[in-house]
Amino acid sequence: MKKRNEVLELSFEFALQIINYSELLEERRKYVIARQLLKAGTSIGANIREAQSCESKADFIHKLKISHKESEETDYWLLLCEKAASYPNPNVEMKAMLLSIQKLLTKIISTSRK
């Protein structure tokens, strides 16, 4: 039986939400931020997944640090959408998921360094 990987599952679900929100932005003709958000938001899970087959502990930590950086960029784009009057607000669940992913990544990176 395969052990559950919470950060991997959560980042995948988050990527699906990012895809849906990016499509909403594109429908509203907000193409530039839609693309930036799509790239950064889906990259989080892609790098976490890549870390699962890393070559060393240092490689594992590096991939997770990239994921964390992408999560910070994603948070920036979502904040812009939230504050810009002409943009549809991202849903609260998506922001909560991102925060959970960031906390998990911070904990995993910290624990892995020890």
Side-chain angles (χ1 to χ4, degrees), residues 7-8 11-12 14 39-52 59-75 97-106 108-109:
V7 74
L8 198 56
S11 62
F12 186 80
F14 180 74
K39 288 177 185 178
T42 57
S43 176
I44 299 166
N47 280 290
I48 292 170
R49 186 163 179 158
E50 193 175 332
Q52 304 310 302
D59 187 33
F60 177 75
I61 292 169
H62 178 69
K63 298 277 190 291
L64 293 184
K65 286 172 82 176
I66 292 170
S67 285
H68 196 274
K69 286 169 73 172
E70 294 292 339
S71 77
E72 290 294 336
E73 181 181 342
T74 301
D75 190 42
M97 285 176 85
L98 181 58
L99 184 59
S100 294
I101 292 166
Q102 289 174 322
K103 287 179 178 178
L104 283 167
L105 285 170
T106 300
I108 295 166
I109 291 165

